[in-house]
């Protein structure tokens, strides 16, 4: 293949992947899946994957958009699941009626953690968020209101309508809610607040000098991510009809962060692809038996080596003309850049 052909192929792929038809086509494909395979196991796996996509999109707001390393994101997932579970089983609310309380609790949790800690940076912030995630899990494991180690069981369906709470109906409900969450996250990225997040991620000190209130901007990203995680927790509770502390260990936060990094931090399409890969590849490798996680690890290593920038990285906002001016203004010779 000649260099000209390679360039044309790359440009064709980039135009197709940047097309506005990609997202509608993916959504239509998700809606058609139950017509192709509708076994209970397949529907359960696909529903779990859709919930994981919503969870990953929420963490992408924190890590990908704003550049805040969060190692305890499963805490907000747990707050949402436990809030809806307690209100529905103990006080008779439907899960839909618990959504305002879930949003309020996740915002409160985001404020409790974010207000004192978001002045920290890098490793210090990561350690604090890791501790917060473990605190939430340990508290849930020791409180009688949350059922202790046994958790909460008998959580009702999401809508209370039999046809929508069945395996197929609930899958469609989760897909629609996840699609709306992805769309809203994309709108946030294109907003003025989203641009502020991008500036903070690139250079927080420079953003502060240009008039961006970095503390408020970071807090807004943290709270938005918390709300996404809490709503995903509601879907998780409705899907399994039970929640327990074992579902919110550090490994859950690590998997979500892995999906964001492998997909491409800051790339909405990339994190969706990464989430689907992290959630579905182990199921595809189930035929390998006990060695499936070993095979899964090899797949992850191969992706990191071959695509260090992510499966679907975020496009640079720098135009071609700006890139040329940057190269001309750079003190580094072009020969040095090539070598």
């Amino acid at each position: 293949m000649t260099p000209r052909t390679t360039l044309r192929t790359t440009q064709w792929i980039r135009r197709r992947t940047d097309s506005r038809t990609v997202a509608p086509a993916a959504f239509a494909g998700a809606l058609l899946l139950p017509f192709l395979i509708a076994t209970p196991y397949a529907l359960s796996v696909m529903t779990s994957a859709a919930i994981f996509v919503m969870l990953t999109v929420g963490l992408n707001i924190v890590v990908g958009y704003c550049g805040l390393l969060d190692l305890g994101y499963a805490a907000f997932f747990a707050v949402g699941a436990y809030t809806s579970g307690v209100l529905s089983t103990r006080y008779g609310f439907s899960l839909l009626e618990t959504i305002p309380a879930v949003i309020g609790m996740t915002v409160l949790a985001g404020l409790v953690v974010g207000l004192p800690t978001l002045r920290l940076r890098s490793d210090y912030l990561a350690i604090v968020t890791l501790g917060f995630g473990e605190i939430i899990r340990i508290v849930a494991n020791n409180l009688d209101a949350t059922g202790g180690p046994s958790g909460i069981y008998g959580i009702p369906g999401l809508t209370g309508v039999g046809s929508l709470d069945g395996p197929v109906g609930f899958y469609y409900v989760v897909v629609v809610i996840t699609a709306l969450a992805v769309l809203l996250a994309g709108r946030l990225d294109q907003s003025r607040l989203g641009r502020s997040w991008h500036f903070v991620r690139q250079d927080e000190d420079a953003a502060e000098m240009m008039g961006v209130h970095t503390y408020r901007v970071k807090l807004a990203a943290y709270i938005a991510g918390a709300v996404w995680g809490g709503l995903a927790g509601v879907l998780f509770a409705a899907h399994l009809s039970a929640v327990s502390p074992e579902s919110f260990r550090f490994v859950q936060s690590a998997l979500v962060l892995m999906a964001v990094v492998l997909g491409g931090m800051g790339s909405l399409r990339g994190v969706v692809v990464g989430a689907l890969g992290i959630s579905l590849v182990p199921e595809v490798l189930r035929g390998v038996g006990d060695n499936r996680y070993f095979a899964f690890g090899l797949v992850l290593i191969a992706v990191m080596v071959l695509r260090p920038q992510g499966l679907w990285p975020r496009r640079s906002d720098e135009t071609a003309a700006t890139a040329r001016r940057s190269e001309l203004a750079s003190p580094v010779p072009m020969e040095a850049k090539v070598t």
Side-chain angles (χ1 to χ4, degrees):
M1 183 178 292
T2 63
R4 185 183 296 273
T5 304
T6 304
L7 178 61
R8 290 178 178 176
T9 303
T10 304
Q11 292 175 345
W12 184 87
I13 294 174
R14 181 174 297 177
R15 287 195 299 268
R16 292 301 180 270
T17 55
D18 291 336
S19 174
R20 295 180 180 271
T21 62
V22 172
F27 179 66
L31 296 179
L32 291 175
L33 278 177
F35 293 96
L36 302 177
I37 177 170
T39 63
Y41 170 74
L43 288 172
S44 177
V45 170
M46 291 187 296
T47 303
S48 298
I51 296 173
F52 192 75
V53 166
M54 184 171 178
L55 196 62
T56 306
V57 169
L59 184 60
N60 185 55
I61 296 175
V62 181
V63 178
Y65 291 171
C66 199
L68 305 175
L69 183 56
D70 190 344
L71 296 180
Y73 188 67
F76 302 117
F77 192 39
V79 168
Y82 271 106
T83 301
S84 61
V86 170
L87 292 178
S88 61
T89 56
R90 292 181 179 268
Y91 300 101
F93 290 96
S94 67
L95 289 187
L96 288 178
E97 292 173 338
T98 66
I99 289 179
V102 168
I103 294 176
M105 288 298 295
T106 51
V107 169
L108 179 61
L111 289 174
V112 168
V113 180
L115 284 175
T117 61
L118 287 181
R119 299 187 187 279
L120 302 174
R121 299 188 185 183
S122 66
D123 299 340
Y124 300 100
L125 179 61
I127 292 172
V128 171
T129 55
L130 174 60
F132 173 66
E134 287 301 297
I135 288 172
I136 292 296
R137 184 184 64 83
I138 292 172
V139 168
N141 194 56
N142 289 277
L143 283 182
D144 293 334
T146 58
S150 300
I152 301 174
Y153 296 90
I155 299 175
L158 181 65
T159 64
V161 180
S163 58
L164 293 180
D165 288 336
V168 177
F170 183 68
Y171 167 76
Y172 281 125
V173 171
V174 171
V175 167
V176 171
I177 293 176
T178 301
L180 292 176
V182 172
L183 179 63
L184 183 56
R187 294 297 183 185
L188 283 175
D189 184 32
Q190 300 299 321
S191 67
R192 180 178 180 180
L193 179 59
R195 292 192 293 272
S196 298
W197 287 339
H198 181 66
F199 297 152
V200 170
R201 178 190 173 188
Q202 294 299 320
D203 193 322
E204 185 173 343
D205 293 328
E208 187 81 37
M209 293 177 61
M210 295 302 295
V212 178
H213 199 302
T214 56
Y215 179 68
R216 293 180 182 177
V217 166
K218 292 192 294 183
L219 186 60
Y222 203 67
I223 291 175
V227 171
W228 259 252
L231 294 178
V234 177
L235 298 178
F236 178 77
H239 178 45
L240 296 184
S241 300
V243 292
S244 67
E246 294 300 315
S247 301
F248 309 106
R249 288 186 171 274
F250 168 71
V251 66
Q252 183 70 29
S253 299
L255 287 174
V256 180
L257 181 61
M258 188 187 304
V260 173
V261 174
L262 290 181
M265 289 193 298
S267 170
L268 193 58
R269 296 166 181 168
V271 298
V272 171
V273 173
L276 292 176
I278 293 296
S279 56
L280 296 179
V281 169
E283 300 299 327
V284 173
L285 296 175
R286 186 174 289 273
V288 183
D290 295 336
N291 295 321
R292 64 175 178 141
Y293 286 109
F294 175 74
F296 181 52
L298 293 179
V299 172
L300 293 180
I301 293 173
V303 171
M304 287 185 289
V305 171
L306 298 177
R307 298 287 294 179
Q309 73 275 32
L311 293 172
W312 199 331
R314 182 187 180 100
R315 288 190 63 189
S316 174
D317 296 330
E318 187 178 42
T319 63
T322 304
R324 287 195 295 270
R325 288 196 298 269
S326 300
E327 291 179 355
L328 293 175
S330 174
V332 181
M334 292 300 296
E335 292 79 3
K337 291 185 179 180
V338 173
T339 56

